[in-house]
Amino acid sequence: MLLYLIYFLQYHLQIIFNKRPRKFNVFYLLIYTVLSFVALFLFNVMLFRVEPTYLVKTQIYYGFSFAAAAIYWFWDSVFLQKKN
């Protein structure tokens, strides 16, 4: 259910972003970063039952979140943002 929710949110976000496509927009990176923090937090809490305060104190959490956001932002800018 969680993976479906993440995919559903990403799909609708992509539709909104393609209304006015802008490649390598920093605002899009910010949105992807926030959503990456939320998705990774929910994924770890639900799957591993880790205490939330411990999770946000680790460097791995921030590293994975920023890396996922940057990879998705690059992928979105290069391949998915199409000018009509």
Side-chain angles (χ1 to χ4, degrees):
M1 181 75 176
L2 177 67
L3 294 177
Y4 176 73
L5 180 66
I6 292 170
Y7 177 76
F8 182 76
L9 179 65
Q10 178 267 335
Y11 177 73
H12 286 295
L13 192 64
Q14 198 60 44
I15 290 172
I16 293 169
F17 285 168
N18 269 331
K19 287 182 181 178
R20 289 180 294 161
R22 290 183 231 150
K23 292 186 178 206
F24 298 105
N25 189 350
V26 178
F27 181 68
Y28 292 176
L29 177 62
L30 178 67
I31 291 173
Y32 291 144
T33 303
V34 169
L35 291 176
S36 177
F37 279 131
V38 172
L40 189 61
F41 179 80
L42 290 175
F43 184 74
N44 278 322
V45 169
M46 293 176 102
L47 205 64
F48 300 116
R49 307 278 186 220
V50 177
E51 186 177 333
T53 56
Y54 171 76
L55 181 66
V56 296
K57 292 179 183 178
T58 61
Q59 291 180 350
I60 294 172
Y61 172 71
Y62 294 101
F64 279 146
S65 295
F66 284 127
I71 289 168
Y72 192 80
W73 178 64
F74 179 78
W75 179 267
D76 176 53
S77 296
V78 172
F79 297 109
L80 299 178
Q81 292 290 330
K82 297 195 185 227
K83 300 226 181 220
N84 292 333

